[in-house]
Amino acid sequence: MQTAAIPQHPVETTKIQFDSLGLSEPVLRSIQRLGFAHPTPIQAKVVPVALTGRDLIGLAETGSGKTAAFCLPLAERLTSGQGIAALILSPTREIALQTQAFLDIFGQDHKIRTACLIGGVTMGPQVRALHQNPDIVVATPGRLIDHMERGTAKVGRIHHLVLDEADHMLDMGFMPQVQRILAELPVERQTLMFSATMPPPIERLAQQFMINPVRIDILPDGGAASGISHRLYMVEEDDKKACLLALLGQELGSTLVFIRRKVDAEWLSGMLEREGHPVERIHSNLSQGERTQALQGFREGEHRILVATDIASRGIDVPRVRHIINFEMPETVEDYIHRAGRTARGTAKGIVSTIATWIDKPRVKEIEQTLGEEIPRCTVPGVRPYVELTPRTSLAGGRKNMRVKRR
Ligand code: AMP
């Protein structure tokens, strides 16, 4: 089974002491061993509530310490060696691997065994991990269902359920699978849901799977990480490539370039490679090995640039990403917030540059409404900015200016 190292980066912590949260000595010792001096705000609020056994919805920025916020109370509450007692559902394989890596290190002291069930890799090692009587399963929904159907994963004793990136787990794509899994879990359980965004309809849906949940919201206004500088580059469709190349030349730090479709991710990474950039790509058509390798190479600085579809916009923890470039607008405002959350992790600072054309204007407006601020319009040398046509300018410019470019 592949595992990922726990990435470390500066994160905002409170002045509160871990020993005031109701955790036992052994768990406190492990926290010390991990090098965590004080809880982060989400940990300080979540841990005492989760320890009481109540259901909970936790809303906090990505990179704010959510993994430990649900793992510490889990470690405290479950009795090891009694079958699978806890299930953590994650939307992507990478997030599942990160959670497993945390549990593997943290759980050593407590003899907590974790099995990670993700797609894209062979079943054999996972079946062997399940035979070793794990206490916690971290899984992506599809692969967990495969194991449930084969009878290799028994979920009837799960009394702790965590939905990570819950808004995504409850959206149309995942909902049928999640419902299928939840139908087989005991009704008497504790359910914890975490997300950096939670649109009201999804939150109403979430409430249906929980009993009187406590809502803990420590999102800054607007929902995106606070150390981010947002920039907007309005250009003509044909100038997007030149704009991207100029931006890559301007900001030399580690950069994630988002694009919507897998085939376009292939095309874009090939193009950047030909332009001499150290680049890798990640999307769901690649094997799990290739995805892990791409992420690892990016994390370790082997490739400064990672071209990604939205598969990488959620939960992935890569420290020191300096620059996010939206080569294409995300489909929803929530996706914008998630993409943006890949930079300015913890207390770090970062830039989110969005390359947009006239067709994206309604989405830009929506994003600005959510952020509560206008995104500064910026330009790069050598690329004509898109000029808004008003009746006056179009008259002055004659027929040529009135032509509207379509994709
Ligand atoms: P997460 O939001 O769970 O992905 O955590 C983000 C990062 O913060 C990870 O690198 C964690 O190792 C780190 N982290 C989490 N909690 C603490 C803490 N209390 N003190 C210091 N670092 C932390």
Side-chain angles (χ1 to χ4, degrees):
M1 173 65 55
Q2 300 170 71
T3 53
I6 299 184
Q8 292 294 336
H9 58 73
V11 64
E12 182 196 341
T13 53
T14 59
K15 292 204 166 72
I16 296 166
Q17 302 295 331
F18 270 111
D19 62 11
S20 69
L21 302 183
L23 295 163
S24 65
E25 269 307 315
V27 173
L28 290 171
R29 271 199 301 277
S30 315
I31 294 171
Q32 214 171 14
R33 221 168 50 81
L34 281 174
F36 294 178
H38 297 276
T40 67
I42 187 75
Q43 291 162 2
K45 289 245 167 86
V46 162
V47 170
V49 176
L51 285 175
T52 67
R54 281 198 62 177
D55 287 355
L56 179 157
I57 297 179
L59 300 173
E61 295 174 67
T62 49
S64 57
K66 276 183 280 182
T67 317
F70 58 75
C71 289
L72 302 180
L74 270 187
E76 196 69 75
R77 283 170 53 81
L78 58 79
T79 316
S80 173
Q82 311 217 319
I84 305 168
L87 170 65
I88 301 168
L89 283 178
S90 308
T92 71
R93 303 164 188 174
E94 285 75 15
I95 301 177
L97 286 171
Q98 274 171 206
T99 306
Q100 185 202 21
F102 181 84
L103 283 165
D104 279 350
I105 294 182
F106 177 76
Q108 279 162 15
D109 298 336
H110 309 281
K111 310 253 175 317
I112 294 175
R113 264 182 209 281
T114 304
C116 185
L117 311 179
I118 55 174
V121 290
T122 53
M123 299 285 266
Q126 296 178 359
V127 173
R128 283 196 289 282
L130 286 165
H131 277 147
Q132 287 178 348
N133 203 17
D135 308 296
I136 302 180
V137 161
V138 186
T140 50
R143 182 52 70 95
L144 175 62
I145 290 175
D146 287 348
H147 280 285
M148 284 161 61
E149 282 171 353
R150 287 171 177 226
T152 40
K154 306 254 186 296
V155 298
R157 300 176 69 106
I158 290 175
H159 291 288
H160 305 276
L161 170 70
V162 178
L163 253 59
D164 199 2
E165 304 286 330
D167 63 330
H168 196 36
M169 304 301 296
L170 298 175
D171 75 14
M172 305 276 275
F174 273 123
M175 195 54 193
Q177 292 178 323
V178 170
Q179 262 173 325
R180 159 109 173 62
I181 295 166
L182 296 199
E184 304 215 8
L185 300 188
V187 181
E188 292 239 339
R189 59 163 198 261
Q190 180 182 34
T191 304
L192 310 177
M193 297 199 190
F194 291 88
S195 189
T197 52
M198 187 68 91
I202 299 280
E203 183 160 350
R204 280 195 293 277
L205 192 62
Q207 303 257 358
Q208 293 175 13
F209 299 109
M210 310 174 93
I211 298 168
N212 192 19
V214 179
R215 189 175 194 277
I216 295 176
D217 179 353
I218 56 153
L219 287 172
D221 290 342
S226 27
I228 298 177
S229 144
H230 299 265
R231 299 173 187 176
L232 183 67
Y233 296 84
M234 289 295 291
V235 297
E236 297 283 355
E237 178 74 33
D238 288 351
D239 289 331
K240 285 177 78 167
K241 183 178 143 187
C243 184
L244 172 64
L245 291 172
L247 285 174
L248 290 174
Q250 237 170 38
E251 288 293 334
L252 296 179
S254 176
T255 302
L256 248 171
V257 182
F258 280 106
I259 193 157
R260 290 228 287 261
R261 300 185 326 151
K262 303 165 211 173
V263 281
D264 295 335
E266 284 293 326
W267 161 77
L268 189 62
S269 58
M271 184 277 281
L272 292 176
E273 210 159 37
R274 285 192 296 279
E275 294 284 339
H277 287 287
V279 61
E280 252 301 350
R281 77 265 189 258
I282 186 165
H283 56 74
S284 59
N285 269 8
L286 300 175
S287 71
Q288 187 52 37
E290 288 171 314
R291 278 161 62 166
T292 306
Q293 211 178 356
L295 203 57
Q296 196 70 13
F298 183 57
R299 223 174 234 149
E300 288 166 3
E302 196 182 317
H303 319 286
R304 175 173 82 88
I305 302 163
L306 184 66
V307 172
T309 57
D310 282 282
I311 196 174
S313 73
R314 286 169 178 271
I316 290 180
D317 192 15
V318 178
R320 294 179 298 279
V321 175
R322 166 78 185 145
H323 197 183
I324 304 293
I325 301 178
N326 292 317
F327 183 72
E328 270 180 337
M329 265 292 175
E331 260 174 75
T332 62
V333 178
E334 282 76 34
D335 283 342
Y336 181 91
I337 302 289
H338 283 293
R339 287 181 180 187
R342 298 312 100 210
T343 186
R345 312 274 296 160
T347 54
K349 302 261 178 274
I351 302 164
V352 178
S353 298
T354 301
I355 304 175
T357 67
W358 66 273
I359 212 167
D360 299 314
K361 278 169 30 181
R363 182 68 32 78
V364 169
K365 211 166 181 184
E366 263 183 276
I367 292 168
E368 291 182 327
Q369 272 164 0
T370 306
L371 294 176
E373 61 187 39
E374 188 169 278
I375 305 178
R377 270 56 176 171
C378 303
T379 55
V380 282
V383 179
R384 286 169 300 153
Y386 164 86
V387 183
E388 192 98 26
L389 292 186
T390 61
R392 189 180 274 275
T393 52
S394 64
L395 277 177
R399 281 180 65 78
K400 192 166 167 275
N401 269 1
M402 290 185 68
R403 267 206 340 258
V404 178
K405 195 150 246 152
R406 300 197 181 277
R407 312 212 254 195

